Amino acid sequence: MRASTRVQPKPPSRPRKPSSRTASPAAAPARKAPRQIRSRATVDAIVDAAARVLRQDGYDGTTTNRVAEVAGVSVGSLYQYFPNKEALVRELLERHDRAMWTVFTDQSTCAIGRPFAEAVPAVIDALFAAHLVDPQLHQVLHQQIPRVGALALLHATSVRSRAVVEGLLQARTEEHQRGDDVPTAALVVVESVEALIHASIALPPAQANAVQRHASELVLGYLGVARPGT
Amino acid sequence: MRASTRVQPKPPSRPRKPSSRTASPAAAPARKAPRQIRSRATVDAIVDAAARVLRQDGYDGTTTNRVAEVAGVSVGSLYQYFPNKEALVRELLERHDRAMWTVFTDQSTCAIGRPFAEAVPAVIDALFAAHLVDPQLHQVLHQQIPRVGALALLHATSVRSRAVVEGLLQARTEEHQRGDDVPTAALVVVESVEALIHASIALPPAQANAVQRHASELVLGYLGVARPGT
Amino acid sequence: MRASTRVQPKPPSRPRKPSSRTASPAAAPARKAPRQIRSRATVDAIVDAAARVLRQDGYDGTTTNRVAEVAGVSVGSLYQYFPNKEALVRELLERHDRAMWTVFTDQSTCAIGRPFAEAVPAVIDALFAAHLVDPQLHQVLHQQIPRVGALALLHATSVRSRAVVEGLLQARTEEHQRGDDVPTAALVVVESVEALIHASIALPPAQANAVQRHASELVLGYLGVARPGT
Amino acid sequence: MRASTRVQPKPPSRPRKPSSRTASPAAAPARKAPRQIRSRATVDAIVDAAARVLRQDGYDGTTTNRVAEVAGVSVGSLYQYFPNKEALVRELLERHDRAMWTVFTDQSTCAIGRPFAEAVPAVIDALFAAHLVDPQLHQVLHQQIPRVGALALLHATSVRSRAVVEGLLQARTEEHQRGDDVPTAALVVVESVEALIHASIALPPAQANAVQRHASELVLGYLGVARPGT
DNA sequence: GATGAATGAGTTTTCATTCAT
DNA sequence: TATGAATGAAAACTCATTCAT
């Protein structure tokens, strides 16, 4: 006779404030892919502005309104392309990591075939070089971004460069002395080198260079590889 | 080589109300030196509560009201002893560093007289031990606290342990091979060891132990010291 | 060796925007119970202001900021006592229903013992009277408040008066002719009477009175009860 | 007796941008009378989409952008044909009412010549039938749409069916006992029946049918007409 | 001294509406 | 005419800090 229909619109009907984290902000819908040329430019302007603001004001000083302002667009436009602040930062992070990764692979791949005592420093230098893509931004991204929360970030470059080092060590076990525990060795190498890189960012150029040289020696000594010149 | 960039954002990072009194919150006068017993007890309660809240809820989840509540006092009391949130965190940080320093010196001083190949691992182990004082809190303090803002923190333990290492290396140049650049060597040693410590905090116990052992070997190799058992 | 501690502060660390509905807004913590006299006054001011704004501007026109302004307090104070807008409205609703229920029971209980043909009109009149507590507010509360969402309201008075009617019909089945389906009869009675009440709110007094008289006759006819004067 | 209060809030309830053209959005000129076939098709698509979205997401979940998307057109096109959101909803409302009215008249006109005791139930059943045109949409339209604002809706079917009932009662005063106040009687009849219809929408079919039967008896009893079977 | 109620600027996010293409 | 990118006022809610009691 009558439809037992019940209007049951999605309970909250519309999460006014997705709480910037209502459900799983990480899974927030990628909102919209810019199709026209104009919108692509807008997206770039926004991401660039985000980088600028992040560099200058740090993570806490970065507000979506400020980013939009610096980008020369309205907040509305920002939210047209990024469902929330986190998604914006994630996009920036991904771009940054992509750039770093490009530099790293460009410089390291050619070195892998060379003798171990040369390959290792080459890889380490490549890692140093990758961090020079945008050291200021890198610092903010890696030191200030909430390690907690939905984006307990990917640090793609770290992870992937560890994989590269692990592969290298695994493939040539007879050329070094850490074959008994390669995963730990890779961790030790990458973590210490990264620490030295981050430390050197804040150093005057001269000492930064010294640190970079020492980084190679640190690793070679650890791996039990005779240094080239010795 | 590298940019000597430093993130230097809007000073107080969050001066909601321009604090009619504290122009530079970092230099804010410790509102009051608690002399009476009750005051001292109150201050302790507040700092302890801050530690608890920080550990549990992370930096963002830590509000002055919550800290006061957990401490069992009113916000007003909190502000009686700390001119602002930052000062409270700084106090906590200092206490934490003092505790770590105590552990470190307790364990390392006795080792200094011993042969180099024993002294170095002892110092490193002392550093590891020091980080076990309160790893959870340590992590929050070092990863989540805005490195920017008036308190671009002191990391006293890092700084002082570097001095200790530097002193050690300087005093016994003939027992190792880094005498040509002791300051850099100290930096390299302390930075990489700390990185390994921080990494090991998130590791399962077994691998954490492996990492600790490797840390000593890393450093001994770098310093060109024959390992004890060899 | 090392604590496998992991700083895992509640994922979202702090639902910045409980989304006004993040989890179950209905279950939102009742924030704080006012202890001092001052705060009780504040709460009353807020609820009163909410009633005023609701009456004047309707549900959509009611913003928390406006309510606070009208109450002569800051938004912060409002949120000190009510976790979100919904909770405020719910409180108002409860107060309103309590007031209506008081009027209804005051007027209806004494009538229950009387002969059916008198008791029924008395109950109906009591229902009319209850709606006069604050007709304007009642209208907003019952017509404009989202029937969907966490608060698909309680309409306590409706529900409870239906129970009263059902009890009355059940207790005296031989005095009317709807004993075969008392629940439906109660529903029919209460729903139609309420509809007439709501309609009469918008009517000029004269016709409103006529409607009220007819309401009793409607119900008596339906129940098959001879009217008093006949 | 009762306050002739009427909620009369800030007119357009949400005039985001003071719409440089539409002073009174209610009176906004139907931006364009679609004469061409394509236009008509577009308008239909938009209105149909509005109905779908309204049914699914409720009033709050309905945004003009979403409607356009579902309709497969751009927002721009939507605003080509409707000066604002309200106009769109009004159009939908009118269509819905027209459909209901068609059903109502189809079913009720043939019954008007029959004896009173049959005509009345026929009219009531026609009213029930009319509400089955789109109960979900009907519910949203009548419960969620801001009753305030420029469109404090027309409820055309209600109004017109009251006229029909009033005409019926007026024309055959000697067949019932409410001849002394026909307008009130018509109001009473239509308001209570509509209330029962709305209540029955949310009921399980079995009880909904019971309510429908009782509706006729309620009205017949009120009008003092002997029921057919009696 | 202690208390805790009050403050309000600032943050994220939404969505009706416009207008350049 | 259609498109869809852009706009920006406004809403809900937070939290460091103050100050009357």
Side-chain angles (χ1 to χ4, degrees):
Chain A
M1 228 264 119
R2 11 113 295 101
S4 183
T5 53
R6 189 74 37 71
V7 175
Q8 191 48 273
K10 307 156 183 176
S13 193
R14 272 276 167 138
R16 190 65 71 129
K17 279 187 174 179
S19 196
S20 93
R21 9 189 96 165
T22 284
S24 166
R31 216 148 258 229
K32 191 180 278 183
R35 293 207 193 118
Q36 299 183 1
I37 342 101
R38 179 164 54 142
S39 55
R40 182 160 293 282
T42 300
V43 171
D44 285 348
I46 292 170
V47 177
D48 289 351
R52 240 185 12 251
V53 175
L54 231 23
R55 262 190 300 254
Q56 279 203 359
D57 299 347
Y59 186 78
D60 280 359
T62 299
T63 72
T64 50
N65 280 288
R66 177 110 186 81
V67 169
E69 185 191 349
V70 170
V73 301
S74 68
V75 232
S77 291
L78 191 158
Y79 280 93
Q80 191 119 61
Y81 299 109
F82 301 96
N84 50 46
K85 190 183 173 182
E86 200 173 296
L88 172 57
V89 173
R90 189 163 49 241
E91 171 65 22
L92 183 57
L93 201 61
E94 277 163 16
R95 290 191 180 204
H96 179 68
D97 259 331
R98 227 168 317 165
M100 284 182 65
W101 188 245
T102 300
V103 171
F104 177 71
T105 46
D106 278 5
Q107 296 210 12
S108 61
T109 45
C110 59
I112 286 189
R114 283 190 275 160
F116 211 75
E118 285 172 34
V120 168
V123 168
I124 288 172
D125 288 350
L127 216 44
F128 267 83
H131 279 78
L132 291 182
V133 164
D134 192 337
Q136 250 181 313
L137 180 61
H138 186 79
Q139 190 147 282
V140 172
L141 252 22
H142 281 247
Q143 291 190 349
Q144 294 183 46
I145 285 190
R147 296 255 192 274
V148 291
L151 88 167
L153 308 175
L154 330 126
H155 300 296
T157 299
S158 285
V159 171
R160 288 193 290 184
S161 58
R162 181 135 107 221
V164 165
V165 169
E166 197 164 337
L168 189 64
L169 295 179
Q170 196 67 64
R172 300 161 73 167
T173 28
E174 70 291 344
E175 294 183 67
H176 64 87
Q177 292 168 20
R178 295 289 164 198
D180 55 325
D181 189 354
V182 168
T184 297
L187 184 155
V188 167
V189 168
V190 172
E191 288 292 337
S192 20
V193 171
E194 282 222 304
L196 296 181
I197 293 173
H198 290 150
S200 73
I201 285 177
L203 255 33
Q207 205 184 354
N209 283 326
V211 169
Q212 183 169 356
R213 255 177 286 112
H214 283 227
S216 283
E217 299 180 2
L218 177 75
V219 171
L220 289 173
Y222 169 66
L223 295 175
V225 178
R227 263 138 269 163
T230 330
Chain B
M1 226 267 109
R2 16 105 288 106
S4 183
T5 54
R6 187 68 40 72
V7 173
Q8 190 50 269
K10 308 163 180 173
S13 191
R14 263 235 189 162
R16 236 56 109 89
K17 274 193 185 173
S19 185
S20 62
R21 42 172 51 196
T22 50
S24 164
R31 207 166 258 210
K32 172 170 291 186
R35 295 249 172 70
Q36 301 169 13
I37 343 105
R38 182 157 61 141
S39 307
R40 184 159 294 282
T42 301
V43 169
D44 285 350
I46 292 169
V47 177
D48 288 352
R52 258 217 319 277
V53 176
L54 233 22
R55 260 190 301 255
Q56 280 205 359
D57 299 347
Y59 186 77
D60 279 358
T62 299
T63 71
T64 51
N65 280 286
R66 177 111 184 82
V67 169
E69 185 194 348
V70 170
V73 303
S74 65
V75 229
S77 293
L78 189 157
Y79 279 91
Q80 195 99 52
Y81 296 111
F82 301 96
N84 51 44
K85 192 184 176 183
E86 201 174 294
L88 169 58
V89 173
R90 188 164 48 242
E91 172 65 21
L92 180 58
L93 204 59
E94 277 162 16
R95 291 192 179 203
H96 178 67
D97 260 330
R98 229 170 306 158
M100 283 181 65
W101 188 245
T102 301
V103 171
F104 177 69
T105 46
D106 278 5
Q107 295 210 14
S108 61
T109 44
C110 59
I112 286 190
R114 284 190 275 158
F116 214 73
E118 285 173 34
V120 167
V123 169
I124 288 171
D125 287 349
L127 215 46
F128 267 83
H131 279 79
L132 291 181
V133 163
D134 192 338
Q136 251 180 314
L137 180 61
H138 187 79
Q139 189 146 287
V140 171
L141 252 23
H142 282 249
Q143 289 190 349
Q144 293 183 46
I145 285 192
R147 295 255 193 275
V148 293
L151 86 169
L153 308 173
L154 329 125
H155 301 295
T157 298
S158 286
V159 172
R160 288 191 290 184
S161 57
R162 181 137 103 220
V164 166
V165 169
E166 198 165 336
L168 189 65
L169 295 179
Q170 196 67 65
R172 299 159 74 167
T173 26
E174 68 293 342
E175 292 183 69
H176 63 87
Q177 293 167 22
R178 296 286 163 201
D180 54 325
D181 188 354
V182 167
T184 297
L187 182 156
V188 167
V189 168
V190 172
E191 288 293 338
S192 22
V193 170
E194 283 222 302
L196 296 181
I197 293 173
H198 290 150
S200 74
I201 287 178
L203 255 31
Q207 206 185 354
N209 283 326
V211 169
Q212 184 170 356
R213 257 177 285 111
H214 284 227
S216 284
E217 300 180 3
L218 178 75
V219 170
L220 290 172
Y222 169 66
L223 294 176
V225 178
R227 261 137 272 165
T230 331
Chain C
M1 228 261 117
R2 14 116 286 107
S4 182
T5 54
R6 188 73 39 72
V7 174
Q8 190 49 275
K10 307 154 184 177
S13 193
R14 273 276 166 138
R16 190 65 71 125
K17 280 188 178 180
S19 198
S20 90
R21 14 189 92 164
T22 283
S24 165
R31 213 148 261 224
K32 191 179 279 181
R35 294 208 193 115
Q36 297 183 2
I37 341 100
R38 178 163 54 140
S39 53
R40 182 160 294 282
T42 299
V43 170
D44 285 347
I46 292 168
V47 177
D48 288 351
R52 232 172 33 241
V53 176
L54 231 22
R55 262 190 300 254
Q56 280 204 356
D57 299 348
Y59 186 78
D60 280 359
T62 299
T63 73
T64 51
N65 280 287
R66 177 110 184 81
V67 169
E69 185 192 348
V70 169
V73 303
S74 67
V75 230
S77 292
L78 190 157
Y79 280 93
Q80 192 119 60
Y81 299 110
F82 301 96
N84 50 47
K85 191 184 173 182
E86 200 173 296
L88 171 57
V89 173
R90 189 164 47 241
E91 171 66 20
L92 184 58
L93 201 60
E94 277 163 17
R95 291 191 179 202
H96 178 67
D97 259 331
R98 228 169 314 164
M100 283 182 64
W101 188 245
T102 301
V103 171
F104 177 70
T105 46
D106 278 6
Q107 297 211 12
S108 61
T109 45
C110 58
I112 287 187
R114 284 190 275 161
F116 212 73
E118 285 172 34
V120 168
V123 168
I124 288 172
D125 287 348
L127 216 44
F128 267 83
H131 280 77
L132 290 182
V133 164
D134 192 335
Q136 252 180 311
L137 180 62
H138 186 78
Q139 187 147 286
V140 172
L141 252 23
H142 281 248
Q143 290 190 347
Q144 293 183 47
I145 285 189
R147 294 256 193 275
V148 291
L151 86 167
L153 308 174
L154 331 123
H155 301 297
T157 298
S158 285
V159 171
R160 289 192 289 183
S161 56
R162 180 136 106 221
V164 166
V165 169
E166 198 165 336
L168 190 64
L169 295 180
Q170 196 67 65
R172 301 161 72 167
T173 28
E174 71 291 342
E175 292 183 68
H176 63 87
Q177 293 169 20
R178 296 288 162 199
D180 53 326
D181 189 355
V182 167
T184 296
L187 183 154
V188 166
V189 168
V190 172
E191 289 292 337
S192 21
V193 170
E194 284 221 303
L196 296 181
I197 293 173
H198 291 149
S200 73
I201 286 177
L203 255 32
Q207 204 184 355
N209 282 327
V211 169
Q212 184 169 358
R213 255 177 287 112
H214 283 225
S216 283
E217 300 180 1
L218 178 76
V219 170
L220 289 173
Y222 170 65
L223 295 176
V225 178
R227 265 138 270 164
T230 331
Chain D
M1 225 246 127
R2 12 100 299 103
S4 181
T5 55
R6 188 70 40 71
V7 174
Q8 188 50 271
K10 310 165 180 171
S13 192
R14 261 233 188 163
R16 236 56 110 90
K17 275 191 183 171
S19 186
S20 62
R21 45 170 52 198
T22 52
S24 165
R31 208 168 257 210
K32 173 171 290 187
R35 296 247 173 73
Q36 302 168 11
I37 342 103
R38 181 157 61 142
S39 308
R40 184 159 293 282
T42 302
V43 169
D44 285 350
I46 292 169
V47 177
D48 288 352
R52 262 222 309 281
V53 176
L54 232 20
R55 259 190 302 255
Q56 281 205 357
D57 299 347
Y59 187 77
D60 280 358
T62 299
T63 70
T64 51
N65 280 284
R66 176 112 184 81
V67 169
E69 186 192 348
V70 170
V73 302
S74 65
V75 230
S77 293
L78 191 158
Y79 279 90
Q80 195 101 50
Y81 296 111
F82 301 96
N84 52 46
K85 193 185 177 181
E86 201 174 294
L88 170 58
V89 173
R90 191 165 44 243
E91 171 66 20
L92 180 58
L93 203 58
E94 277 162 16
R95 291 189 179 205
H96 179 67
D97 259 332
R98 228 170 307 158
M100 283 181 66
W101 187 245
T102 300
V103 171
F104 177 70
T105 46
D106 277 6
Q107 296 210 13
S108 60
T109 45
C110 59
I112 286 189
R114 283 190 276 158
F116 212 75
E118 286 171 33
V120 167
V123 168
I124 288 172
D125 287 350
L127 216 44
F128 267 84
H131 279 79
L132 290 181
V133 163
D134 194 336
Q136 252 180 312
L137 180 62
H138 187 78
Q139 189 147 284
V140 172
L141 252 23
H142 281 246
Q143 290 190 347
Q144 293 183 43
I145 285 191
R147 294 254 193 276
V148 292
L151 87 167
L153 310 172
L154 329 125
H155 300 299
T157 298
S158 287
V159 172
R160 289 191 288 182
S161 56
R162 182 137 104 220
V164 166
V165 169
E166 196 165 337
L168 189 64
L169 294 179
Q170 196 66 66
R172 299 161 73 170
T173 29
E174 72 290 346
E175 292 183 69
H176 62 86
Q177 295 169 17
R178 295 289 163 199
D180 54 325
D181 189 354
V182 167
T184 297
L187 184 155
V188 167
V189 168
V190 172
E191 289 293 336
S192 20
V193 170
E194 282 223 303
L196 296 181
I197 293 173
H198 290 150
S200 73
I201 287 178
L203 255 32
Q207 205 183 354
N209 283 325
V211 168
Q212 185 169 357
R213 255 177 285 111
H214 283 226
S216 283
E217 299 181 2
L218 178 75
V219 170
L220 290 173
Y222 169 65
L223 295 176
V225 179
R227 265 139 268 163
T230 333

